[in-house]
Amino acid sequence: MSTKDFIEKDYYKVLGVPKDATEAEIKKAYRKLAREFHPDANKGNAKAEERFKEISEANDILGDPKKRKEYDEARALFGNGGFRPGPGGSGGTFNFDLGDLFGGQPGGGQAGGFGGGLGDVFGGLFNRGGAGTTRTQPRRGQDIESEVTLSFTEAIEGATVPLRMSSQAPCKACSGTGDKNGTPRVCPTCVGTGQVARGSGGGFSLTDPCPDCKGRGLIAEEPCEVCKGSGRAKSSRTMQVRIPAGVSDGQRIRLRGKGAPGERGGPAGDLYVVVHVGTHPVFGRKDDNLTVTVPVTYPEAALGGEIRVPTLGGPPVTLKLPPGTPNGRTMRARGKGAVRKDGTRGDLLVTVEVSVPKDLSGKARDALEAYREATADQDPRAELFQAAKGA
C-alpha cells in the first residue's frame, strides 16, 4: 500500500468513531471489532481476515497519539487527494495526482515506493519508508517428535497405534491472541510482520524475528494470565496414527500436518514418529527379508527330502532339501518376507542347522555304530591337515 493510499484511507471510518474520539473510545471500538473479525473466530473467512487487518492497521495509527497527530495533519494538508494552497495561492482546492508529489509515476505507477520526495517524510509515519502493508502473518505450527514401540509382527504388517502428544497450541483462554481481552495490537516495531531487517553490509539485508513481539506480529495490551501473552499454551491430545507396513527399528516417519496447530490460519506442523521394534522368538530380519533357522536331522541333510518351514502370520511352506545339504546352508522362500515400499514382499531366508541328538535309543546307537564302521576310511579332516602343512 502506498503513502498516497494511507493518506486517503479514513481510519476513523474503519473503526466507526468520530474524528474527535477520545483514546478510550478508539480503544473500545477496536476491541469490539477485533473480537468480531479475529481470524481465530472466522477460520477460512478471507473477508473477515482482511477486515481484521484493516482494523489492526487503523488502531496502530489512531491508537498512538503521535502517529494520530501526524496522520490528521497529513490529511488536513492533502485532503482526499486534493492540494490546499496556503496564503498567496489562487484559493480554493484543485486536484492533481499525488504520485507526482511523492516522486512516483502519474497514477502511482512507480513500483516499490516513491523514490524520494515527500514519500520519505510520510514513510516514517507508517514505518514503511513509503511502501509495504501492515499485516499479521500466519505462523506455521511447530513440528512434534514422538516415539512408538511395535511388536515384530506389527512392524512387518503395519498397525494403527494411539499416540498421546503434548505440544504448544493456541491458548484457549485468550483464543490464541495473547491478550486477556482478546484484542492485541499490531506490533509497532515490525508493523505486524513478525520480522525486522538486519543489515549485512553487503548490499542486502537479512531478517530476524522481531525482538518485541517474538515474531508474532501482535503485542498484548493486557497479557493473558494463562499463556503470559504468548498466545500459546501446552496442550495434550491422543491421536490414532497409522504406521505403514515394513517399518524397521529406528526408522523416523514423517506425518505431514499432524504436528502442533498453526496461528492465524497458518498450517499445522509435522509429526515425526521414531519407531522401535521388538524381537521375535523365531524370526529375524535382514533388510526386506525375514530370517529363520530350521533344525534338520542328519539323515535329512545326508539323504535329502522335504521339510516344512513356518512363516510369519501365514501357513507353513515346504522346501526341498537336496541330498548332502551341509550345515548352515541358506535357502529362499520367495515372497514370504517383509513388505517393501512398493507393496511387494521380500523373501524368507531359511538357514539349515543339523541337529545332533543328545540321547540315543539302543537301535539308533547300533545303526550309527554300523555307519561309523562303514565310513571308517573317510576322514573329513584330512584336507585340513594337508592345507596346514602346505601353508
Side-chain angles (χ1 to χ4, degrees), residues 189-326:
T189 303
C190 65
V191 201
T193 64
Q195 297 179 330
V196 292
R198 171 168 55 89
S200 66
F204 61 92
S205 63
L206 304 175
T207 57
D208 291 327
C210 177
D212 292 338
C213 66
K214 304 300 187 291
R216 297 187 68 238
L218 299 172
I219 292 180
E221 293 187 352
E222 296 184 46
C224 171
E225 296 177 356
V226 176
C227 65
K228 310 303 180 185
S230 69
R232 311 290 284 180
K234 193 171 184 178
S235 174
S236 297
R237 55 183 172 141
T238 299
M239 179 186 301
Q240 297 295 322
V241 176
R242 178 64 186 176
I243 305 297
V247 295
S248 57
D249 185 56
Q251 185 173 340
R252 193 167 183 252
I253 301 172
R254 178 185 184 186
L255 301 175
R256 294 181 181 273
K258 299 299 182 180
E263 290 186 78
R264 299 186 294 278
D270 297 332
L271 170 62
Y272 292 88
V273 181
V274 179
V275 179
H276 302 288
V277 180
T279 59
H280 195 279
V282 174
F283 298 97
R285 184 171 179 181
K286 185 178 181 181
D287 299 327
D288 294 329
N289 300 319
L290 298 183
T291 62
V292 63
T293 298
V294 179
V296 297
T297 65
Y298 181 77
E300 287 175 327
L303 302 176
E306 293 184 343
I307 59 173
R308 295 176 74 241
V309 178
T311 62
L312 183 66
V317 295
T318 300
L319 296 180
K320 187 174 182 179
L321 203 65
T325 298

Side-chain angles (χ1 to χ4, degrees), residues 79-123:
N80 293 321
F83 180 77
R84 305 179 188 277
S90 59
T93 300
F94 61 93
N95 295 324
F96 69 103
D97 198 322
L98 279 173
D100 295 333
L101 179 62
F102 289 105
Q105 299 298 325
Q110 180 172 326
F114 297 98
L118 290 179
D120 295 331
V121 176
F122 292 106

